[in-house]
Amino acid sequence: MVASLRRHLAVVTAAVLVTAALAQSTLRIGLAEDPDILDPALARTYVGRIVFASLCDKLFDIDTSANIVPQLATGYTVSEDGLTVTIDLRTDVVFHDGTPMDAEAVKYSLDRAKNLPGSNRASELEQLESVSVVDADTVELHLTTPFAPLIAQLADRAGMIVSPTAAEELGEDFGNAPVCAGPFRFVERVAQDRIVLEKFEDYYRADEINFDRVVFLPIPDTSVRLANLQSGDLDMIERPAPTDLGVMRSDPNIVIPSVPSLGYQGITINIANPEPRTDPLSSDPRVREAFELAIDRNTINDVVFGGEFVVGNQPVPPSSPWYVPEIAVPERDVERARQLLDEAGVDRVQFEMMVANNPEAIRVGEVIQAMAGEVGFDITLRATEFATALDLQEQGQYAAFPVGWSGRIDPDGNIHQFHTCEGALNESGYCDPEVDRLLNEARAAPTMEARYDLYRQALERYLPDRHIIYLYHTVLFFPHRADLQGFQAYPDGLIRLQGVSLAQN
Amino acid sequence: MLPFVGRRALTAIPTLFIVTLMVFAIQRSLPGDPALILAGEQQDPEVIAFIRQKYRLDDPLPVQYVAWLAQLARGDLGLSLRTNERVLGLIGSKLPVTIELAVLSMLVAVAIALPIGVLAAVRRGTAVDYGGTVFALTGISVPNFWLGIMLILLVSVQLGWLPASGYVPLSEGVWENLKRMIMPAFVLGTGLAGVLMRQMRSSMLGVLRQDFVRTARAKGLRGAAVVVRHAARNALIPVVTILGLQLGALLSGAVLTEQVFTIPGFGKLIVDAVFNRDYAVVQGVVLITATGYILINLVVDVAYAVLDPRIGAR
């Protein structure tokens, strides 16, 4: 009797296991856009990084609090003079084509990221002079100057190690069939339709991977993406519309992990691009201060984003260890703003604000327009298709433009190129040698404390100039089916599938 | 018949040439630098310079145009700026999807419109006629994207009967494919059915008044035979014109429906390409679409000739 019961149980258990195994064979993730080329050296889009997280492991990674942790590396040491970084590697890793992931491969990948024509990583690895192989599982990175953000760069695409064999063999076509050392291997891609990856059995953490396949489906329309999640055609989506969160929260089949992003949203003001400008907003910091004081950040957050985002006044969100709490978020102060305009000798300030041509950006523009109008700013909004807006911004044909930055793990990535005189993304034409000095020193400083202090000084110096007025930080939401377990949201917005599984129904 | 077809085919060449000139000129006059968009958030000047050089964006426009024509002459539509894929391959993978969608929509439209149109004409002034008119007006007036989203919410989210979006190639299962095509084909088809039904009805009314119909009746033929064999066949000619034009429009115009149902077809390809300033893809798609239009027009002309031999004889 007992034996028969036991056998019966065993059969049932086996059946459940088989069903579970079948049921959890494929994970479907809805992306907000179609990624661009899938070559870590050439890739440019945020959404592409989400696919890479399943495809290509990196030397380093981050944890849920944005601390850097080893991934393909096991650790690193920096020499006394800051010019040599020695990285120890895991010894149990192979690429999807079966070749070993060793020091030679790391050297190959870093050299490739630096030298491949058109590489988007070249500037990220600017301070990397050469890589030498010490032994099979140790590499030395030689730098031209000490560069603290390097390890953070290696925790993103610059640190993804590709199979040298495949890269040599495929050449320019590598991005159409990438071979890395991540948990899933590339199967196929149909442009604008899907990217299919399958579990890599020889992955060094294969026991943490519970899906045979993961399929990424680009679905740009937020309501359609949500409908697919609600109907069960997708297991997870990224970047839902904040205004849809209410609907999702009331759906018992959906849970929504979230985390503040590493980036910021603010208003970039053109003060000297390409030439110094003479209008009151560009030429007088008091007018810009009045403009900032006219704006209530919480109102923008409440009206446009249902209060789901995080207000802020710095290039990093308040949740970041690099945030300076002493520099408080300014409150709206109409009286003081009026007073500043009087001091500046202007009554009403007229300017045109370019906004991206999408409903959210336009609403942000309208809220700012209304609040600033009460103080004395007559703002005309010019809704501009995003590609055109980027073009106009680069050419300096704009006065003000609310625009964001998706953010980097190291604060340098959110600050340096925007505020240094020669910064590649310095679209406001700002230039202050003292800010340059502080930001350059912060790159080379050896400890986090020293760097924090330098960034604090830099912020205290450039924030009052208000060529970028930081407003809020987006929050990353990853709504997924309630039966999906073990998923954690990371502040870099990547979807990591290690340890994620579907519950047995 | 052959010289007729040959003559019509020859006129296609200058048309296509003008199309290449226009798509090139219009696209280059748009603001928005592809190199900036491609470089992405980082906007590294060296990367931007490299992209400009690689895709010849720095060359004078006439040079770019001639280079493109030379490429076309070799049967090469170039590389997508965004994903580095061959444009010809991209189009080759999207075209069957859109053609399938267009054909299914046409079937839906014809299956709804022709019987209703004929009935409305035969029973002119009755409830059938008014009902048909209301249906036609509704079909024309309701925006496709709205109907699409409503259908997704009702059929997929509420009832869970059909997948909300996406596409499965026919080769991976006819039923899996149809499950995803039913709703978009229905949405597009009902939109077309309104126009077709109105056309069928008025055309039918005209034919029913003609002498040969009266003669056929006088010969003692029964109502249904007269309507179907004699009247409807002749009434179809203007309807075929509309069908042809609409099939052409469907190839490029299913844009919104393809966006809503995330069907990786032609419409979606061109919308995404325009937003990314992916010149090579836009140019290729427009050119192929134009060729498609020309072909369809040719087929329509031939169809006239078959339906009404007097046309071919002229």
Side-chain angles (χ1 to χ4, degrees):
Chain A
M1 176 70 186
V2 172
S4 130
L5 188 65
R6 215 178 264 154
R7 201 165 54 231
H8 189 71
L9 265 178
V11 169
V12 170
T13 316
V16 167
L17 283 176
V18 167
T19 321
L22 285 177
Q24 59 179 241
S25 60
T26 302
L27 182 74
R28 291 168 199 278
I29 300 175
L31 303 176
E33 301 154 48
D34 195 24
D36 61 335
I37 188 163
L38 291 179
D39 180 329
L42 301 174
R44 312 163 187 111
T45 52
Y46 167 79
V47 69
R49 293 160 69 201
I50 294 180
V51 177
F52 280 129
S54 289
L55 197 57
C56 298
D57 272 14
K58 308 160 289 191
L59 287 174
F60 297 92
D61 199 10
I62 59 166
D63 63 16
T64 48
S65 322
N67 299 307
I68 294 175
V69 293
Q71 194 171 39
L72 291 176
T74 53
Y76 72 101
T77 51
V78 183
S79 66
E80 197 74 7
D81 59 3
L83 293 176
T84 307
V85 179
T86 308
I87 299 178
D88 300 315
L89 303 168
R90 296 185 69 107
T91 52
D92 54 349
V93 184
V94 290
F95 292 112
H96 300 152
D97 59 4
T99 57
M101 197 295 302
D102 55 14
E104 289 291 346
V106 172
K107 174 177 165 54
Y108 179 89
S109 291
L110 292 177
D111 286 346
R112 182 176 185 270
K114 223 177 135 51
N115 302 323
L116 193 70
S119 167
N120 247 31
R121 309 284 85 79
S123 63
E124 295 168 8
L125 298 174
E126 204 183 322
Q127 291 76 7
L128 178 64
E129 193 175 36
S130 65
V131 183
S132 54
V133 173
V134 178
D135 55 44
D137 36 301
T138 317
V139 286
E140 267 179 14
L141 276 50
H142 307 284
L143 309 185
T144 49
T145 55
F147 186 60
L150 179 76
I151 299 299
Q153 301 286 29
L154 297 178
D156 200 342
R157 287 168 296 193
M160 287 177 187
I161 307 304
V162 303
S163 155
T165 322
E168 283 300 310
E169 198 177 293
L170 295 170
E172 278 218 333
D173 289 330
F174 183 79
N176 298 330
V179 179
C180 291
F184 294 88
R185 69 202 290 170
F186 181 82
V187 176
E188 66 161 345
R189 170 175 196 178
V190 181
Q192 295 156 313
D193 183 26
R194 65 199 137 126
I195 295 172
V196 182
L197 312 180
E198 71 180 8
K199 182 177 176 178
F200 176 46
E201 293 298 343
D202 293 330
Y203 183 54
Y204 61 95
R205 290 162 69 186
D207 57 330
E208 295 171 49
I209 301 300
N210 301 310
F211 302 98
D212 296 330
R213 286 194 160 211
V214 50
V215 183
F216 295 96
L217 300 136
I219 302 179
D221 189 291
T222 47
S223 27
V224 175
R225 207 153 63 244
L226 172 57
N228 273 280
L229 179 69
Q230 289 176 312
S231 67
D233 293 307
L234 290 177
D235 301 302
M236 177 186 290
I237 60 176
E238 56 118 5
R239 280 180 282 171
T243 40
D244 283 338
L245 290 167
V247 177
M248 287 185 255
R249 291 206 177 100
S250 63
D251 186 334
N253 295 318
I254 296 177
V255 288
I256 318 175
S258 70
V259 62
S261 80
L262 299 166
Y264 66 79
Q265 302 284 322
I267 306 175
T268 300
I269 295 173
N270 187 355
I271 59 174
N273 175 17
E275 298 286 315
R277 292 161 63 103
T278 52
D279 58 284
L281 182 75
S282 302
S283 60
D284 196 331
R286 288 171 297 187
V287 174
R288 293 197 293 275
E289 187 179 353
F291 181 44
E292 180 177 26
L293 290 174
I295 299 170
D296 183 346
R297 290 166 166 85
N298 286 309
T299 302
I300 300 177
N301 186 26
D302 290 343
V303 171
V304 188
F305 304 111
E308 298 282 356
F309 287 172
V310 177
V311 300
N313 61 330
Q314 295 175 34
V316 293
S319 54
S320 163
W322 299 93
Y323 188 80
V324 184
E326 295 80 40
I327 309 177
V329 181
E331 298 280 317
R332 185 171 197 240
D333 189 341
V334 176
E335 224 166 282
R336 175 76 188 132
R338 264 312 325 163
Q339 202 183 337
L340 282 162
L341 286 186
D342 287 343
E343 282 172 28
V346 288
D347 181 34
R348 296 202 71 84
V349 180
Q350 273 142 18
F351 66 92
E352 189 181 70
M353 188 158 78
M354 183 162 73
V355 289
N357 190 16
N358 68 62
E360 265 178 19
I362 291 172
R363 282 178 77 189
V364 169
E366 286 168 348
V367 173
I368 293 170
Q369 182 187 41
M371 289 189 291
E374 288 171 18
V375 169
F377 292 90
D378 298 320
I379 302 176
T380 322
L381 295 179
R382 176 165 46 133
T384 310
E385 188 258 331
F386 194 62
T388 312
L390 282 181
D391 214 357
L392 294 172
Q393 194 195 14
E394 163 156 296
Q395 293 168 28
Q397 293 179 26
Y398 76 105
F401 181 29
V403 64
W405 175 246
S406 71
R408 296 292 177 265
I409 299 161
D410 192 276
D412 180 79
N414 286 13
I415 305 174
H416 194 276
Q417 12 182 19
F418 298 91
H419 303 286
T420 47
C421 300
E422 299 299 321
L425 298 170
N426 182 354
E427 309 285 14
S428 61
Y430 181 74
C431 185
D432 177 352
E434 176 62 11
V435 170
D436 274 25
R437 184 187 69 80
L438 290 165
L439 293 180
N440 286 332
E441 273 184 30
R443 284 186 153 184
T447 62
M448 167 144 181
E449 290 71 29
R451 298 186 70 204
Y452 181 88
D453 191 51
L454 286 160
Y455 283 123
R456 184 182 50 74
Q457 289 178 50
L459 285 189
E460 281 167 355
R461 179 139 182 120
Y462 83 70
L463 281 182
D465 289 323
R466 295 179 174 81
H467 52 286
I468 295 181
I469 299 174
Y470 301 106
L471 294 178
Y472 58 91
H473 306 271
T474 55
V475 172
L476 302 164
F477 299 96
F478 298 92
H480 62 70
R481 309 280 308 163
D483 47 10
L484 195 72
Q485 294 177 340
F487 176 80
Q488 287 184 295
Y490 285 72
D492 59 4
L494 305 193
I495 297 172
R496 291 164 175 81
L497 296 178
Q498 286 88 345
V500 179
S501 62
L502 270 172
Q504 304 169 6
N505 288 325
Chain B
M1 183 65 85
L2 263 185
F4 170 74
V5 174
R7 229 174 20 247
R8 292 285 286 99
L10 270 185
T11 57
I13 293 169
T15 314
L16 275 179
F17 182 73
I18 294 170
V19 168
T20 62
L21 200 61
M22 282 181 60
V23 60
F24 188 86
I26 293 174
Q27 199 176 199
R28 303 299 149 126
S29 62
L30 284 180
D33 180 349
L36 266 186
I37 303 164
L38 279 181
E41 209 183 40
Q42 203 119 324
Q43 314 240 324
D44 186 338
E46 276 175 39
V47 173
I48 292 174
F50 173 82
I51 296 172
R52 290 210 174 109
Q53 191 214 336
K54 181 172 177 193
Y55 296 103
R56 315 184 65 148
L57 299 170
D58 276 337
D59 289 351
L61 289 185
V63 175
Q64 290 188 38
Y65 178 65
V66 172
W68 178 47
L69 283 191
Q71 208 182 32
L72 283 182
R74 292 193 303 271
D76 180 4
L77 292 179
L79 290 175
S80 156
L81 273 60
R82 186 173 161 89
T83 60
N84 216 33
E85 286 176 270
R86 296 233 140 261
V87 174
L88 203 58
L90 269 180
I91 292 176
S93 67
K94 309 294 176 196
L95 201 52
V97 179
T98 297
I99 290 179
E100 189 197 341
L101 179 60
V103 169
L104 286 177
S105 313
M106 276 292 165
L107 288 180
V108 171
V110 168
I112 297 174
L114 296 196
I116 299 184
V118 171
L119 263 181
V122 174
R123 306 238 185 285
R124 187 156 79 128
T126 65
V128 176
D129 190 12
Y130 293 125
T133 306
V134 169
F135 169 78
L137 264 176
T138 315
I140 299 168
S141 323
V142 171
N144 281 347
F145 70 89
W146 182 83
L147 182 60
I149 289 181
M150 289 304 123
L151 271 183
I152 291 177
L153 289 181
L154 177 70
V155 178
S156 304
V157 177
Q158 291 296 327
L159 303 172
W161 288 349
L162 292 170
S165 65
Y167 177 75
V168 171
L170 268 171
S171 56
E172 285 176 29
V174 176
W175 175 231
E176 280 303 310
N177 169 281
L178 278 182
K179 272 202 309 206
R180 288 167 176 81
M181 289 303 237
I182 292 170
M183 281 199 288
F186 179 79
V187 166
L188 277 172
T190 49
L192 293 181
V195 181
L196 275 186
M197 180 255 151
R198 300 296 296 163
Q199 185 62 46
M200 190 67 204
R201 177 181 176 276
S202 65
S203 168
M204 194 68 192
L205 283 175
V207 174
L208 283 175
R209 273 196 293 270
Q210 284 189 15
D211 292 344
F212 72 90
V213 175
R214 223 172 311 146
T215 312
R217 287 223 167 97
K219 279 196 310 186
L221 269 181
R222 296 188 39 190
V226 174
V227 169
V228 174
R229 278 227 302 275
H230 293 266
R233 180 174 163 159
N234 282 287
L236 268 178
I237 289 178
V239 175
V240 168
T241 313
I242 303 257
L243 261 176
L245 287 176
Q246 287 186 336
L247 187 63
L250 269 180
L251 286 187
S252 53
V255 176
L256 283 176
T257 308
E258 287 186 358
Q259 287 284 355
V260 168
F261 289 98
T262 329
I263 294 170
F266 233 48
K268 207 167 139 42
L269 181 67
I270 195 165
V271 169
D272 292 354
V274 168
F275 278 115
N276 290 314
R277 299 295 187 276
D278 199 335
Y279 288 166
V281 174
V282 176
Q283 287 167 189
V285 171
V286 172
L287 203 61
I288 298 286
T289 312
T291 314
Y293 259 95
I294 291 169
L295 276 179
I296 288 168
N297 272 311
L298 190 63
V299 171
V300 168
D301 285 351
V302 174
Y304 285 165
V306 173
L307 283 171
D308 184 352
R310 284 173 303 176
I311 293 172
R314 244 175 254 158

